[in-house]
Amino acid sequence: MSQINRIDGGQIDRSKLLSFTFNGREMHGHPGDTLASALLANGQILVGRSFKYHRPRGILTAGSEEPNALVQLRSGARQEPNTRATVTELFDGLTATSQNHRGPLEFDLMAVTDFASPFLSAGFYYKTFMWPRAFWEKLYEPAIRSSAGLGRLSMQDDPDHYDKGFLHCDLLVIGAGPSGLAAALTAARSGARVILADEDFTPGGRLNSETLSVDNMAGADWARMAVAELASLPNVRLMTRTTVYGAYDHGTYGALERCTDHLADSGGKPRQVLWRIYSKRAVLAAGATERPIAFGNNDRPGVMMASAVRTYVNRFGVAPGKQVAVFTNNDDGWRTAADLAARGVSVVAIIDSRDKPAVCDVPGARHIRGAAVKDTVGRKALKSVTLTDGQVIPTDCLAVSGGWNPNVHLTCHQRGRPNWRDDLQAFVPGDSLPVGMQVAGAANGAMTLGAALAEGHAQAARQLDALGLTAKGSAPQAEDEPRDCAGFWHVKESAKRAWVDLQNDVTVKDIKQANREGFRSVELLKRYTTMGMATDQGKTSNIAGLAILAEDAGKPIPEVGTTIFRPPYTPIPIGALAGRARGKDFRPYRLTPSHKWASENGATFVEVGNWLRAQWYARPGEQGWRDSVDREALQTRQSVGICDVTTLGKIDIQGRDAAEFLNRVYSNAFLKLPVGKVRYGLMLREDGIAYDDGTTARMSENHYVMTTTTANAVLVFRRLEFARQCLWPGLDVHLISTTDGWAQFAVAGPNARNLLRKVVDEAHDLSNEGFPFMACGEVTVCGGMPARLFRISFSGELAYEVAVPARYGNSMMDVLMEAGREFDAVPYGTEALGVMRIEKGHAAGNELNGQTTALNLGLGGMVSQKKDCIGQTLSKRPEMNRDDAIRLVGFRPVDRSKKLIAGSHFITKGDEAIMDNDQGWMSSVAYSPSLGHSIGLGFIKRGHERMGEIVRAMSPVHDTEMEVEIVSAHFIDPEGDRLRG
Amino acid sequence: MRYSALRILREGLTGNKGWKPVWREPDPKPDYDVIIIGGGGHGLATAYYLAKEFGVRNVAVLEKGWIGSGNVGRNTTIIRSNYMLPGNEHFYEMSLKLWEGLEQDFNYNAMVSQRSILNLFHSDAQRDAFVRRGNAMFLAGADAELADEAQLRRELPFLDFDNARFPIKGGLYQRRGGTVRHDAVAWGYARGADSRGVDIIQNCEVTGIDVENGVVRGVQTSRGPIRARKVAMCVAGSSGRVAALAGMRLPIESHVLQAFVSEGLKPVLPGVITFGAGHFYVSQSDKGGLVFGGDIDGYNTYAQRGNLPVVEDVAEGGMAIMPIIGRARLLRSWGGVMDMSMDGSPFIDKTHIDGLYFNGGWCYGGFKATPASGYCYAHLLARDVPHPVATEMRLDRFKRGHLIDEKGQGNQPNLH
Amino acid sequence: MIINHPLLGPRDAAEFVYLGDASLIDRPDWQDPDAAEKFYEYGYLRDNPAGQHQELWYHEQGDRSWLVVTRDTLSHEITKVELARDVAKARGRDK
């Protein structure tokens, strides 16, 4: 197919020919074309099928408001559904296919739905498909779902990548049409830092589509000059292919820049960049969108917006028809006729709904006054139109102009409401604009070129003034073209369906039916009929629908109101919003200081929050993770094991009032902790629930080191800062997080002291008397390196934790393992750590889950009643202290060969297994290699009084239950002899 | 007017001109037995069940704007009963059972679609918590199914199993969970209540609550005073503002939750998928849009709009588990104001004022609760005792220390 | 949103963590005869105004200051930002 509709002129580069395919057919175009202009040039009038009735549809507009011409762009994993052909820049090798049809586009089998349309009117689905009940999921819904939707995802991972960026400016100008360019020039010349963003690939807005003059030169030429000047200024950032899609709080705007969408191959560059723009001030110069008029069969391919027809002719050098008719209710429609005639495109008729004289002279065209189009003929391409007086006009392209709607969207993103202007028959920005925003040009109702330029300049000057800058230069000059517009929304004489929302197939009748059924608020109308909910968000349909509703309800339009404009202005790929945060880069990794050592020594890693921790260290010959974990736990209990515990939160606390501070944030007493000693501490939330536990060591008179759980490291620090700054600002206490500053290792097992004796410098006494259980101190290791030593034990063994500056962490692991060689020391991971803590009955995350009290945890005695602490008062509330409160106890299977299941619920023997009889749940389980069977910790009502009782542990999600015995949670060395040894 | 396929056929053949208003537009009467403040899903459901189940028909529903303009019109349409604590689970399971028979009950197709809901887990600790939850659901008579990674790979091959930052280790299904056409719920209840004599009065804002000697007498509205024996607040999202009219402070903060929908797409997702670790949940509407959301913005607000960081956070969560959606476009975002309560669970209770009742604190879980909330509130209004499944949803529970805290986050509303 | 930090200047709200009503500064005295009631009100009841709201934000990705921000919950306009420590002291909190 050749470019049969291509005519002279336009802003395309005819020296280069681009090949592309539509539905597999090869076509050609030129740089500067959009896919839509190229399709039209090649005579492709039918481009898609509508959402509901699968009606044949063509190209309606030349911009981002396009409801019909949606295609699947590209193929394979880059297949991109619902892509508007009207804003897709043509590139060599582009492939596009039409959407939403079964069988070929020309013979869509689903078009049969169009014949059933009398029964598919607004909201029909709410009134049927209810019987039999089971049929909804099985029959009705699948049928609806497969026919609904438009394009198709590839179902492959998006192979492109996306970036994010942040920009700051004095003035953001949104839109590079005449008023935006005027505003940007004024601001730029005055020295302000300006960002000018425009969604098109060629700045200039309507100037590129019109034959109007600015400063006595062609508008498009003036735009090019203005852009060249802006591009030359260092204080201006000119962003084309960039849509400012949302206005957020305090002058923040979201913008999407399409970097490589116009290229066949991104060449490894990001496809798009999502910008967050922080502006001091903004000028919205988003222009206006022409709206259709609803009449019978107004959705035929070949019925187009008059301004779009002008754009295709003037900007792209394409005549959308050979014999064009114009149907207008305003003066602007006449310009299409005039421009076409001037370019040698035949205009057969101008049908003006107003009974007024010709606006201008259009050679060869009949002027039909006070008439309207009531029907059209031509299923896949327009053949003729029928007027209200019955006459039939043969035409292959009807250019429709129903007036212009200012693009007020961004003015309403913070829920401002637009105002109605009768003289324009349109909504204009209201009084409540986003902070710092002014609106200029057509977006503000300045509908003529001269006024738009003047307002662009004036609004920039106003914003400069607010910024403390002085505006330089004057407004560009242009004439004001005639712009009279009648409030004429639909042709009442039309007997055939008149389409309002062309994408969602909403007709005038649907709107009237909704009104009849009581859906009279415009929001109810939208929800009931789906008007304005398609990919164009009603840019061409909402105001007309509103006007028709108002007319039917006998109310003025402003009384009916508008629906709320929501971001984004045009749809944004989810990939762009996510940026680089996907796959492994979804969240950053935190690595422990000995990560390198661990990965070189067979560690399997596990995600713990953002940390990666060694889970176990497999050795050759081990059959599965249990083999490794059992060995690590046993060897630690029998000799010595080493574990990187750096992930525990570490908070350095200093100051004269540090002890008092600790005494208030821990539930147990801390005032009398001696220097050189460590104490276990329990923290509550202010609501009295147990929050976190850990140890705090008093290193010197006014210096403490606190540890927290890994999960709560950040949260505890935040809470301590709150207590310090907001509750007790008079206390002399200072906090710093040192979690990343110190690498810390647990050295646990009967040989722990022997091992450390080889590492800690000799000057330090490590004997049980010299450095007893719960001792701490500053030491040196490896011949003079500063370190901290704590004699604390999570495993229940003789154990220490030794901390060195983080940068020595990996070496320290080497040193410890080397020193431990003679004891067959093992590194152990989080699994063995977990096994040993369950064997000792220590609570961890599964027990400290934010729902349990100190009483529940068996730590009731740790909440001092003699002092205040966070959570003390509210922990005394009656229902948190019921006699039948759950208690943390141990469990073992009656049949020792069985494996306990965490998450099982306990039911007293003989009781029915229902929630009302629920006694509690198993929180943690492990296989104890020391005991040779499965053990568990769990919460059960009055647990401490039920030792030896057998209860049912039920896990219906595993379809299983077993009998378990309630035992002490201290499975190993309950007297604690080992850790004191 | 009863709706049926036959009715559609008849109307279709006569130009669809015989359809009647789905509800009347009455002027307010001078007094009612019960005034329900709030014509959202819960308020309309309350009116419906009051009239249908409890025979209380002299009822007015007063709506500030248009019915369904609150959170029933701006949620992500999910229904489920996958709760863990007794104070919640019985209630939500009752709600799910009501959903299952709702359309036949009120003769309106709200497209209750039990397409399943899946909560993914990524660690042993998360698995343990979901096992605990699933077992609790079973004990309460609900359904739950634990799926391992292999099963999910078969059923949802498009999830990112091999390159994920937080590998998917399995999930907890509730097959009876799913989605409902949210607006239709409001309309169906409105239609059912209206046909039983309830006055639904739109554009009628309550500006004052009349109390004499500790007893409620009626309300002041933008359409004049209206007397009532009982006044029932049902305005989640605005609870703070309305309760303030009666001098009440509540254990509630108002927060915005954003939600998102993509352009229409041919079928992608079979059911609802929740990625808790990444703040993302998603389903696909019958029209083809991916309906998704994440966390609340996190600051007190009554503005029904949010900010960019959360938009991006939600998209990141989506791309992290299903990178197939990268080229799907976000079409529209919106925000709804949530009553975020102090333990993440709601209230259906009397107040300290005789005849004044409160229903609120639904956090972002109010939609799925609509039928049971309406039913239980109607029960309380009609009989003055809580319905058995709502006995724990009391306003004084914090004073007593009885928390219904599913997430274990304590008295910080923005963490629930 | 942008929070104009009194020490650091304008900062994106995403750098901060939100806690809630600045009345959380006014922690009751545990020895008050009505301590149980007062802690209940302190912990659980909120004015939750539609309009001016004093609230606590923590600059976690910054200097770790707790701030009291006066912000309108209808428009999100911020009219005042203070260091919470100063506010706490002004409200009589000390040791």
Side-chain angles (χ1 to χ4, degrees):
Chain A
M1 200 188 287
S2 62
Q3 298 183 49
I4 54 170
N5 288 332
R6 190 69 78 179
I7 58 172
D8 289 343
Q11 302 175 21
I12 51 170
D13 178 2
R14 284 159 206 275
S15 67
K16 294 200 186 99
L17 196 65
L18 305 176
S19 294
F20 70 101
T21 65
F22 178 72
N23 285 346
R25 283 200 297 278
E26 185 168 351
M27 301 184 183
H28 295 97
H30 301 288
D33 264 326
T34 62
L35 174 59
S37 69
L39 286 169
L40 284 172
N42 285 271
Q44 184 71 41
I45 304 301
L46 172 65
V47 296
R49 292 279 172 167
S50 71
F51 182 82
K52 188 172 170 186
Y53 299 122
H54 293 258
R55 303 258 300 180
R57 292 286 162 80
I59 294 161
L60 183 74
T61 75
S64 60
E65 70 273 27
E66 175 63 31
N68 279 349
L70 307 183
V71 299
Q72 300 223 139
L73 197 66
R74 303 181 190 258
S75 59
R78 289 192 163 79
Q79 173 174 306
E80 194 189 327
N82 305 331
T83 304
R84 287 154 292 162
T86 49
V87 293
T88 300
E89 213 170 328
L90 194 68
F91 56 84
D92 199 46
L94 179 151
T95 59
T97 50
S98 53
Q99 309 189 137
N100 208 36
H101 49 85
R102 285 201 195 139
L105 172 63
E106 289 75 15
F107 304 101
D108 179 6
L109 296 172
M110 295 294 288
V112 66
T113 55
D114 200 21
F115 296 105
S117 65
F119 314 110
L120 308 180
S121 68
F124 75 97
Y125 29 74
Y126 299 124
K127 299 166 181 163
T128 184
F129 299 138
M130 285 178 269
W131 312 270
R133 194 165 79 80
F135 275 32
W136 175 252
E137 282 93 347
K138 292 194 174 64
L139 183 67
Y140 303 132
E141 187 176 48
I144 291 173
R145 287 172 75 86
S146 68
S147 66
L150 292 165
R152 212 175 276 285
L153 286 181
S154 71
M155 299 304 279
Q156 299 176 54
D157 294 357
D158 186 350
D160 278 325
H161 54 260
Y162 303 83
D163 265 344
K164 288 187 184 177
F166 300 83
L167 295 172
H168 298 260
C169 63
D170 295 324
L171 185 70
L172 168 66
V173 180
I174 302 161
S179 59
L181 285 171
L185 280 173
T186 301
R189 287 166 182 167
S190 313
R193 287 183 308 154
V194 176
I195 293 173
L196 173 62
D198 192 275
E199 62 178 354
D200 205 333
F201 52 89
T202 306
R206 287 298 304 172
L207 289 175
N208 293 318
S209 296
E210 306 289 1
T211 49
L212 302 168
S213 299
V214 179
D215 283 349
N216 298 317
M217 67 179 91
D221 293 338
W222 178 84
R224 267 193 294 281
M225 270 185 51
V227 167
E229 180 181 342
L230 291 166
S232 73
L233 293 172
N235 54 328
V236 176
R237 185 180 183 115
L238 184 62
M239 303 177 79
T240 53
R241 302 186 178 96
T242 302
T243 304
V244 177
Y245 63 81
Y248 296 90
D249 276 318
H250 306 161
T252 307
Y253 291 83
L256 182 76
E257 181 177 15
R258 290 167 293 275
C259 306
T260 61
D261 276 345
H262 61 294
L263 304 174
D265 184 340
S266 66
K269 294 204 176 97
R271 179 186 170 210
Q272 299 173 340
V273 177
L274 191 83
W275 295 102
R276 209 182 288 179
I277 301 176
Y278 298 90
S279 70
K280 288 182 183 158
R281 296 272 156 175
V283 170
L284 178 69
T289 301
E290 195 177 25
R291 62 201 181 205
I293 298 170
F295 51 87
N297 289 314
N298 60 330
D299 64 330
R300 303 249 194 245
V303 178
M304 297 175 70
M305 301 311 309
S307 61
V309 171
R310 209 150 77 217
T311 297
Y312 288 116
V313 169
N314 289 334
R315 177 173 170 180
F316 296 108
V318 175
K322 303 265 180 264
Q323 288 191 302
V324 178
V326 173
F327 174 29
T328 185
N329 67 355
N330 65 84
D331 294 349
D332 192 67
W334 285 79
R335 285 228 314 284
T336 297
D339 283 3
L340 264 58
R343 299 291 296 281
V345 180
S346 165
V347 179
V348 294
I350 301 164
I351 305 135
D352 195 326
S353 69
R354 304 166 299 173
D355 190 8
K356 66 177 264 185
V359 174
C360 58
D361 183 37
V362 181
R366 288 168 60 201
H367 174 201
I368 304 168
R369 290 163 66 142
V373 177
K374 71 171 182 184
D375 195 8
T376 69
V377 175
R379 185 155 173 79
K380 288 170 200 162
L382 184 67
K383 292 188 178 121
S384 68
V385 299
T386 309
L387 306 193
T388 39
D389 62 6
Q391 65 174 306
V392 174
I393 299 175
T395 173
D396 57 351
C397 175
L398 180 68
V400 181
S401 180
W404 292 78
N405 292 328
N407 290 329
V408 301
H409 304 68
L410 266 68
T411 70
C412 300
H413 279 181
Q414 293 172 24
R415 300 185 64 84
R417 295 299 175 108
N419 294 333
W420 179 255
R421 253 178 73 179
D422 250 341
D423 63 326
L424 299 179
Q425 288 291 303
F427 282 101
V428 296
D431 310 317
S432 172
L433 297 175
V435 174
M437 180 192 281
Q438 296 290 347
V439 192
N444 203 31
M447 290 302 194
T448 61
L449 182 54
L453 291 164
E455 194 171 70
H457 170 77
Q459 295 291 44
R462 204 164 150 188
Q463 297 289 43
L464 290 167
D465 192 47
L467 290 163
L469 297 168
T470 308
K472 292 185 184 151
S474 55
Q477 300 297 311
E479 284 183 22
D480 288 321
E481 60 279 24
R483 61 152 187 79
D484 176 68
C485 178
F488 182 85
W489 308 96
H490 73 114
V491 181
K492 296 177 191 64
E493 294 85 347
S494 293
K496 298 289 174 55
R497 280 174 293 167
W499 307 85
V500 180
D501 183 327
L502 276 83
Q503 193 180 129
N504 270 355
D505 284 350
V506 180
T507 65
V508 172
K509 278 183 188 171
D510 288 323
I511 294 169
K512 290 184 172 175
Q513 184 192 327
N515 185 34
R516 197 174 305 133
E517 293 192 83
F519 296 88
R520 284 169 197 154
S521 154
V522 62
E523 282 284 349
L524 286 172
L525 172 76
K526 166 184 137 187
R527 286 148 193 269
Y528 192 59
T529 62
T530 74
M531 184 184 78
M533 296 177 85
T535 65
D536 61 331
Q537 290 286 282
K539 289 192 178 69
T540 55
S541 62
N542 274 349
I543 306 297
L546 190 71
I548 292 162
L549 175 69
E551 182 186 289
D552 203 45
K555 287 182 185 171
I557 290 172
E559 229 173 80
V560 179
T562 64
T563 57
I564 296 163
F565 295 94
R566 301 282 195 182
Y569 177 66
T570 52
I572 306 289
I574 294 170
L577 290 164
R580 300 265 176 178
R582 56 182 283 199
K584 300 284 189 204
D585 297 328
F586 171 52
R587 292 291 179 260
Y589 283 102
R590 294 180 81 181
L591 303 181
T592 62
S594 65
H595 186 84
K596 181 164 172 284
W597 188 94
S599 46
E600 288 165 0
N601 285 275
T604 293
F605 293 98
V606 63
E607 297 77 14
V608 181
N610 282 347
W611 290 99
L612 271 190
R613 295 188 72 179
Q615 196 171 12
W616 61 79
Y617 297 81
R619 282 197 180 161
E622 291 178 337
Q623 297 302 307
W625 65 272
R626 262 281 307 284
D627 288 358
S628 312
V629 173
D630 288 357
R631 170 183 51 75
E632 288 169 19
L634 278 175
Q635 185 64 7
T636 300
R637 294 218 184 279
Q638 283 160 14
S639 180
V640 62
I642 298 159
C643 182
D644 188 330
V645 294
T646 304
T647 61
L648 294 176
K650 296 185 274 300
I651 302 172
D652 213 67
I653 302 172
Q654 301 196 36
R656 287 190 303 278
D657 296 321
E660 178 62 30
F661 181 76
L662 287 166
N663 204 44
R664 294 180 191 180
V665 298
Y666 277 128
S667 70
N668 49 323
F670 260 83
L671 282 179
K672 291 180 182 158
L673 179 67
V675 172
K677 281 289 191 182
V678 185
R679 184 166 290 172
Y680 173 77
L682 176 68
M683 270 184 211
L684 309 181
R685 290 193 311 233
E686 191 67 276
D687 67 353
I689 297 287
Y691 184 61
D692 199 71
D693 68 347
T695 59
T696 289
R698 189 170 193 177
M699 306 304 289
S700 67
E701 182 62 21
N702 294 327
H703 181 198
Y704 295 78
V705 173
M706 174 187 282
T707 64
T708 74
T709 62
T710 299
N712 285 335
V714 171
L715 306 176
V716 167
F717 187 77
R718 186 189 302 165
R719 287 159 47 88
L720 296 189
E721 281 291 2
F722 173 76
R724 187 181 78 88
Q725 296 176 40
C726 300
L727 301 182
W728 306 300
L731 290 181
D732 178 38
V733 58
H734 295 271
L735 311 171
I736 188 162
S737 168
T738 59
T739 304
D740 296 291
W742 294 87
Q744 195 151 317
F745 300 90
V747 180
N751 280 316
R753 183 183 292 121
N754 298 332
L755 188 158
L756 277 175
R757 188 63 278 171
K758 297 168 67 179
V759 176
V760 176
D761 293 345
E762 279 189 24
H764 306 289
D765 182 3
L766 290 188
S767 71
N768 206 25
E769 298 71 35
F771 201 79
F773 180 56
M774 294 308 245
C776 68
E778 310 263 1
V779 297
T780 56
V781 296
C782 307
M785 188 169 78
R788 289 171 175 173
L789 192 64
F790 310 89
R791 189 163 160 200
I792 51 180
S793 176
F794 198 48
S795 58
E797 299 298 325
L798 166 66
Y800 302 80
E801 288 188 13
V802 57
V804 296
R807 63 186 179 280
Y808 300 118
N810 204 58
S811 308
M812 192 64 191
M813 192 68 189
D814 267 328
V815 167
L816 291 168
M817 286 305 295
E818 181 57 33
R821 189 191 298 258
E822 63 177 287
F823 312 110
D824 281 335
V826 289
Y828 65 93
T830 55
E831 287 296 324
L833 183 82
V835 168
M836 289 188 280
R837 74 101 186 162
I838 293 170
E839 289 176 333
K840 286 298 291 180
H842 291 312
N846 281 12
E847 287 75 37
L848 285 160
N849 67 354
Q851 298 168 322
T852 51
T853 62
L855 180 78
N856 299 147
L857 291 160
L859 302 173
M862 287 192 70
V863 183
S864 169
Q865 300 302 309
K866 295 184 198 137
K867 58 153 191 162
D868 187 17
C869 75
I870 302 274
Q872 201 261 8
T873 304
L874 288 178
S875 76
K876 293 189 286 197
R877 285 178 287 172
E879 297 215 17
M880 293 163 74
N881 294 279
R882 293 164 58 112
D883 291 340
D884 66 349
I886 52 169
R887 303 285 185 138
L888 182 66
V889 290
F891 294 88
R892 63 184 178 200
V894 170
D895 175 351
R896 298 281 195 275
S897 68
K898 292 216 161 153
K899 192 170 165 252
L900 299 175
I901 296 172
S904 304
H905 284 245
F906 302 123
I907 300 286
T908 305
K909 281 180 79 172
D911 280 358
E912 193 188 348
I914 56 171
M915 192 174 235
D916 292 346
N917 291 331
D918 194 0
Q919 295 290 297
W921 74 98
M922 190 88 78
S923 53
S924 298
V925 302
Y927 175 79
S928 167
S930 299
L931 298 175
H933 61 81
S934 182
I935 59 172
L937 300 178
F939 295 92
I940 188 164
K941 288 180 180 176
R942 301 177 193 270
H944 61 306
E945 296 169 359
R946 297 169 74 170
M947 290 299 152
E949 185 183 331
I950 311 281
V951 295
R952 297 160 71 190
M954 310 200 47
S955 189
V957 296
H958 294 97
D959 199 19
T960 186
E961 71 166 279
M962 69 187 78
E963 293 192 333
V964 296
E965 182 187 351
I966 303 174
V967 295
S968 159
H970 308 292
F971 290 94
I972 299 253
D973 187 30
E975 288 75 36
D977 294 339
R978 294 190 195 179
L979 49 83
R980 292 192 179 81
Chain B
M1 176 185 279
R2 187 167 172 78
Y3 291 155
S4 65
L6 199 64
R7 170 74 68 178
I8 285 181
L9 206 61
R10 194 188 308 159
E11 288 299 328
L13 293 171
T14 55
N16 285 305
K17 293 203 169 127
W19 295 111
K20 297 278 187 305
V22 182
W23 46 79
R24 297 166 294 128
E25 291 188 358
D27 287 323
K29 293 190 287 191
D31 74 285
Y32 290 92
D33 290 339
V34 178
I35 282 177
I36 296 166
I37 307 175
H42 291 224
L44 293 166
T46 303
Y48 173 79
Y49 291 116
L50 266 178
K52 178 166 181 286
E53 302 293 335
F54 299 94
V56 182
R57 290 165 187 241
N58 184 22
V59 175
V61 177
L62 307 185
E63 168 52 47
K64 175 173 73 169
W66 39 280
I67 59 165
S69 55
N71 290 330
V72 75
R74 59 185 80 236
N75 61 75
T76 45
T77 81
I78 295 166
I79 59 167
R80 58 187 173 89
S81 70
N82 52 358
Y83 284 75
M84 183 166 72
L85 302 176
N88 278 328
E89 180 58 14
H90 288 307
F91 174 87
Y92 286 104
E93 178 55 20
M94 173 186 171
S95 207
L96 194 50
K97 288 202 170 78
L98 286 171
W99 283 119
E100 287 171 332
L102 183 65
E103 294 157 314
Q104 290 70 31
D105 187 61
F106 67 19
N107 179 231
Y108 203 77
N109 186 358
M111 304 181 201
V112 175
S113 175
Q114 295 184 284
R115 299 209 308 269
S116 83
I117 180 164
L118 170 69
N119 282 70
L120 297 171
F121 57 75
H122 310 265
S123 71
D124 291 352
Q126 285 173 3
R127 180 202 59 215
D128 295 349
F130 277 121
V131 170
R132 179 188 167 198
R133 175 185 299 251
N135 287 332
M137 292 160 65
F138 258 104
L139 292 176
D143 65 305
E145 176 188 330
L146 196 67
D148 62 12
E149 184 192 331
Q151 180 184 343
L152 295 184
R153 275 182 186 268
R154 281 195 306 276
E155 292 178 356
L156 306 166
F158 51 85
L159 296 183
D160 190 349
F161 289 98
D162 298 317
N163 190 41
R165 172 69 176 81
F166 298 106
I168 297 167
K169 301 241 172 97
L172 184 70
Y173 269 115
Q174 184 177 30
R175 297 283 182 185
R176 287 163 62 241
T179 57
V180 179
R181 172 78 184 95
H182 56 143
D183 292 316
V185 175
W187 303 338
Y189 276 124
R191 178 167 168 269
D194 174 88
S195 70
R196 288 170 176 83
V198 172
D199 284 354
I200 296 167
I201 303 165
Q202 304 185 70
N203 302 307
C204 180
E205 181 172 5
V206 171
T207 55
I209 296 174
D210 297 332
V211 179
E212 284 172 24
N213 302 321
V215 180
V216 80
R217 297 294 181 201
V219 296
Q220 299 290 322
T221 78
S222 55
R223 297 175 67 171
I226 310 174
R227 288 192 304 280
R229 287 195 299 114
K230 295 185 177 181
V231 173
M233 292 183 263
C234 202
V235 290
S238 299
S239 289
R241 285 201 265 191
V242 175
L245 299 176
M248 291 172 67
R249 293 173 83 217
L250 296 171
I252 286 172
E253 289 179 2
S254 296
H255 286 262
V256 67
L257 178 69
Q258 299 191 64
F260 311 90
V261 65
S262 79
E263 296 177 339
L265 298 165
K266 293 297 178 192
V268 178
L269 300 177
V272 185
I273 298 172
T274 301
F275 172 40
H279 314 149
F280 177 77
Y281 58 90
V282 62
S283 66
Q284 190 171 16
S285 77
D286 285 339
K287 285 182 65 201
L290 301 175
V291 180
F292 57 102
D295 270 359
I296 56 176
D297 270 36
Y299 43 81
N300 283 52
T301 179
Y302 284 92
Q304 287 172 320
R305 60 187 178 83
N307 274 294
L308 272 175
V310 169
V311 183
E312 295 179 26
D313 187 59
V314 169
E316 288 171 7
M319 286 299 284
I321 55 157
M322 46 175 80
I324 59 161
I325 61 172
R327 302 179 98 82
R329 298 188 195 89
L330 183 149
L331 174 61
R332 186 170 69 247
S333 64
W334 65 95
V337 179
M338 310 287 122
D339 266 14
M340 295 304 294
S341 76
M342 286 287 167
D343 60 359
S345 294
F347 310 96
I348 301 176
D349 203 359
K350 303 179 188 184
T351 69
H352 68 289
I353 295 167
D354 205 18
L356 182 66
Y357 298 77
F358 182 78
N359 174 319
W362 293 99
C363 300
Y364 40 76
F367 177 67
K368 73 178 97 62
T370 306
S373 170
Y375 199 101
C376 294
Y377 203 23
H379 184 282
L380 179 70
L381 285 162
R383 304 206 173 144
D384 265 333
V385 290
H387 187 280
V389 302
T391 52
E392 297 188 22
M393 295 175 174
R394 310 298 291 273
L395 281 163
D396 69 348
R397 65 176 181 260
F398 302 117
K399 194 178 278 190
R400 291 183 280 120
H402 184 87
L403 314 177
I404 318 175
D405 188 351
E406 295 271 342
K407 277 184 155 183
Q409 294 291 358
N411 58 335
Q412 199 182 330
N414 66 345
L415 299 180
H416 286 293
Chain C
M1 289 194 287
I2 311 283
I3 294 173
N4 194 3
H5 191 300
L7 304 176
L8 302 173
R11 296 279 169 162
D12 194 302
E15 294 177 10
F16 295 79
V17 172
Y18 181 82
L19 179 64
D21 194 313
S23 67
L24 288 168
I25 289 172
D26 307 317
R27 187 172 183 272
D29 180 354
W30 73 297
Q31 290 176 311
D32 189 295
D34 288 331
E37 179 71 19
K38 288 191 169 165
F39 267 94
Y40 156 68
E41 290 181 6
Y42 167 76
Y44 288 103
L45 298 186
R46 299 285 182 267
D47 287 340
N48 193 26
Q52 293 276 304
H53 188 231
Q54 284 201 313
E55 55 199 23
L56 287 157
W57 293 75
Y58 176 56
H59 200 198
E60 186 147 280
Q61 313 291 324
D63 75 340
R64 297 176 279 131
S65 288
W66 278 92
L67 306 180
V68 173
V69 175
T70 306
R71 190 178 57 91
D72 190 305
T73 58
L74 290 165
S75 69
H76 296 171
E77 185 191 6
I78 292 174
T79 46
K80 201 182 209 182
V81 184
E82 303 157 275
L83 289 173
R85 173 187 286 276
D86 295 343
V87 175
K89 282 185 169 168
R91 292 187 186 180
R93 300 206 69 86
D94 186 11
K95 286 197 168 187

